[in-house]
Structure formats: C-alpha cells, structure tokens
Amino acid sequence: EVAAAAKPLIRIAPYRHLDVALIQTRLPSVKESVLDKTVAITADRVRATGGRLLSEARSAHETAALAERIRQSNGDLLLIAGASAITDRKDVLPAAIEAAGGVVEHFGMPVDPGNLLLLARIGERRVLGLPGCCRSPKPNGFDWVLQRIAAGIEVSPRDIMGMGVGGLLMEIPTRPQPRDAKPAKPGRIAALVLAAGQSRRMGERNKLLAEVDGRAMVTHILDALLGSRAAPVIVVTGHQAERVRAALGERPVHLVANPDYAEGLSTSLKAGLAALPDDVEGVLVGLGDMPRIRSAQIDRLIAAFNPLEGRAIVVPTVRGKRGNPVLFATRFVPEMRQITGDVGARHLIGEHDDEVVEIEMEDDAPLLDIDTPEALAALLETAP
C-alpha cells in the first residue's frame, strides 16, 4: 500500500504530432457539401490534438473500393467516415479493413454520442471507423479516443468499454438520471402506414385489397411492422375505409380515419401524426402497397436510429437508391404537419441531409410499391 501511494496519482501525457489520413465513403444521395464539412471539422479536431490532417480521399461505399483506398492511404492514423452507419462487424467499413489486411479489435462504445465507433489496426497503424456524430463539432466519444491516441496512450477494447463509467452521457429525456425517483421509459418508435389513397392508376381496383400470396396487399407491411420493434402501428384509412378495415381482421393496430383523403397524401400523413403517442422518439412512415418489406429490415432501420449521433432520419437504400419506409425523429413532426397537397415528407431528407443515415438493404423490397396493373401483375408472377 505504501509503494502504491508513492506512485504519482496524475500523469500528464503531452500530445505528439500525428499525420492523420481521412477516408470518406459515398452513396449517390450524399452531398459533396456534407463530405466537405466533415473534412473541415475533422481537420479542426486533429489540429486541436497537435496533429495535422495529411490527406483526404473518397470512395464508393463498397467493400472492394474502400479496401483499395485503405491500401493507398498513408499517415500515422487512419480515420474512416462511412456514408452509412456501421451496424455490425460484417458491414462495409469493418469488411474493407479486414480485406486490406487489418484486424477489427472492437466495435461499439458505451458513450453517447459516439456509440458506433470501430477500433481496428493495420499492422502498427491504428484505424478508427467513425460514428455518425463525427460530422458534428460537438464533443463525442470519438474525441476521447483521438485525444488518447494523440497523447501516445494505447487504447484497448477494455479501455473503450470502461469509458461508460462516469463517461460522456448527454442528458436526454429518455435516459434515466440517478436523481430521478422514477426513471423515464425508453422512447419508442411508432409506425405510420398510409392506406387511404384512391389507387387512381389502378383503374377501378383498390390495390391495397388486391390479393397477394393469399391475403390483401395492405396486410403484408402491417404484419412486418407488428413483428418488428415498432409500436404502436397506426393505419390511416380513407378510400373504401370499411373494406380496408375488414381486410385487417383482428390485427392489433390503431385505426385513424382521414375524411380529407381525396385532397392528397399530406392529409393522411397529418391525420396519422395527430395520433402519435407523446412518448415516441421517432415515427416510421410507410405505404400500404409495399408487400415485400420484412420485420428484419424494419428493425435494421430502428437499430440505426440515434438523433444524438446525427442519425435523425433513417432511409433504406438499394444499390444507392432511396426507398421506403423512412424513419424520422419526432422533432421533425412540426415540419411534417406543414406539408400540403399530394406529397409526403421525403423532401425533408434533402433539407436535413446532414442528419440522414442510409441503410443498404439486400433486396428490392424498399423500392417496390405497386401503382399500376402492370406492376401488380409483375409482382404476382414473382415468388416472395
């Protein structure tokens, strides 16, 4: 005990000069201005730790292309900012690091924001897969790791895991505080299905009631949602409302009538938003004519949602093309309520592109909606 007490209690580790390389991946929907902003913010972060941003390169959000960029990179430390959030160890960023000869040492961080940080190494060089919040200058878990590396302090998986103890945890209403007598319940993600349209391009037929795999088309997305983490599931009806409701059977959904459905999609959106519970953090907006969406795909969107990390709008993509459903943080609801006419909320994605995360899906289900008799016939010819 005496020997332990004789050791210094505090050690000051000065920053070393580090040459840092940055690679950013691209998807077609990511604006160059967002990437340029990330470069400037990263350069400031590195400069604050006594280093310099030596180089910046951009790559397609694909494993092979990114791996090649990694091989070409230089510097003492490599930072990789992905166009899409890292969701697991098999995602594009970790797969590319391994393809380039690296080793993924740790994924995830018990601090918020910054919980999707990836710790890796290629030979003696440290590699960090950055969380989405790296695009913001606000402090986050990445800053802690960068500062330690810049000071020559080794960062291990155990160090990362220990950062949650007394760590960087921003106070938000959904996170219980020790002083609270009754901790708040975690926020939920509600689902809103727009099923009030008149199917004008289908002729006399209501596409939502068309039989697909032995049941009404509209029931497919509802069953996918009911099997996911989304709750509650709200369904807005309008055109042939009684027939649509009958097709839903006893499914535990919350029905909302839209008497103004003929005035356009925005009226159904607003009717559904008015029915949202107060305790939801996000709303997943889907269409009734998406019969191939699966519960696992919906849960991937929900898992990627984290407004504090800059992931306030989550969009499924297929080969870089955006689809549905789209998950919005509830703070966008006031803007959504201002929409008029026969349009939805997709324009908000472009207006808030720095808060958008895209999740690439393995099949075409997010792009598939049925608007014409030809599209319905093609759907019925293909197996699910």
Side-chain angles (χ1 to χ4, degrees):
E1 292 180 358
V2 173
K7 294 180 179 179
L9 298 179
I10 297 175
R11 178 171 70 94
I12 298 175
Y15 287 140
R16 309 166 298 159
H17 175 84
L18 286 182
D19 285 333
V20 179
L22 172 67
I23 299 175
Q24 299 191 78
T25 66
R26 284 192 185 103
L27 286 169
S29 54
V30 178
K31 291 184 178 180
E32 293 297 310
S33 60
V34 173
L35 302 181
D36 294 341
K37 175 183 175 184
T38 304
V39 175
I41 289 172
T42 304
D44 288 343
R45 272 198 165 96
V46 172
R47 193 178 303 113
T49 61
R52 65 166 176 161
L53 187 62
L54 180 67
S55 65
E56 187 257 346
R58 300 178 186 184
S59 160
H61 191 71
E62 299 169 357
T63 299
L66 178 55
E68 182 59 29
R69 280 292 188 192
I70 292 172
R71 295 187 193 100
Q72 296 170 359
S73 65
N74 52 10
D76 306 307
L77 171 67
L78 175 59
L79 308 178
I80 308 175
S84 181
I86 307 172
T87 55
D88 56 50
R89 286 175 173 262
K90 295 182 180 180
D91 215 329
V92 170
L93 265 67
I97 291 169
E98 292 179 345
V103 176
V104 173
E105 297 180 345
H106 187 76
F107 172 56
M109 190 176 189
V111 300
D112 193 6
N115 65 303
L116 292 183
L117 183 133
L118 183 80
L119 189 70
R121 188 183 295 277
I122 299 178
E124 295 301 314
R125 184 166 62 147
R126 175 61 73 194
V127 181
L128 299 179
L130 304 185
C133 55
C134 74
R135 302 188 189 280
S136 166
K138 294 180 180 178
N140 62 77
F142 164 48
D143 289 289
W144 282 11
V145 176
L146 175 63
Q147 290 163 6
R148 291 187 181 206
I149 293 173
I153 300 172
E154 179 58 29
V155 180
S156 69
R158 183 173 292 277
D159 293 326
I160 296 288
M161 290 184 281
M163 289 180 180
V165 180
L168 185 66
L169 293 170
M170 294 179 64
E171 293 193 10
I172 57 174
T174 55
R175 180 178 294 115
Q177 302 296 320
R179 62 181 176 271
D180 290 342
K182 294 183 178 180
K185 293 181 179 179
R188 295 183 290 165
I189 303 298
L192 174 56
V193 177
L194 307 181
Q198 300 178 72
S199 307
R200 290 190 179 96
R201 285 188 281 174
M202 293 292 294
E204 297 296 322
R205 192 172 193 178
N206 186 338
K207 63 181 177 181
L208 300 184
L209 301 175
E211 187 173 295
V212 177
D213 304 328
R215 53 197 172 97
M217 184 188 301
V218 68
T219 63
H220 287 264
I221 189 170
L222 295 183
D223 288 343
L225 289 166
L226 291 169
S228 76
R229 292 167 51 193
V233 177
I234 300 168
V235 183
V236 182
T237 62
H239 179 61
Q240 297 183 348
E242 293 302 322
R243 294 183 60 197
V244 172
R245 290 174 182 172
L248 304 187
E250 299 299 318
R251 289 175 174 81
V253 299
H254 178 61
L255 294 169
V256 175
N258 174 22
D260 302 319
Y261 66 89
E263 296 178 17
L265 187 66
S266 64
T267 63
S268 293
L269 178 63
K270 285 185 275 191
L273 294 175
L276 288 177
D278 292 336
D279 66 340
V280 297
E281 286 186 323
V283 55
L284 189 76
V285 181
L287 307 174
D289 59 342
M290 304 191 69
R292 298 302 187 220
I293 288 291
R294 302 187 306 280
S295 299
Q297 293 173 319
I298 293 165
D299 282 341
R300 284 191 66 196
L301 300 178
I302 294 174
F305 178 75
N306 188 333
L308 288 177
E309 284 258 342
R311 303 192 304 276
I313 302 176
V314 187
V315 187
T317 60
V318 180
R319 298 179 297 277
K321 185 176 181 180
R322 288 171 169 171
N324 285 297
V326 177
L327 174 52
F328 295 91
T330 49
R331 62 183 173 81
F332 294 113
V333 168
E335 290 181 69
M336 297 164 82
R337 286 176 173 153
Q338 300 303 312
I339 299 169
T340 59
D342 194 25
V343 295
R346 292 189 67 84
H347 69 282
L348 295 180
I349 300 173
E351 293 176 5
H352 300 279
D353 57 6
D354 59 337
E355 298 185 83
V356 174
V357 61
E358 296 180 327
I359 303 300
E360 183 70 11
M361 297 295 179
E362 68 281 3
D363 59 40
D364 290 345
L367 304 182
L368 182 66
D369 57 2
I370 310 301
D371 291 328
T372 65
E374 293 75 20
L376 177 60
L379 171 72
L380 298 178
E381 290 176 0
T382 60

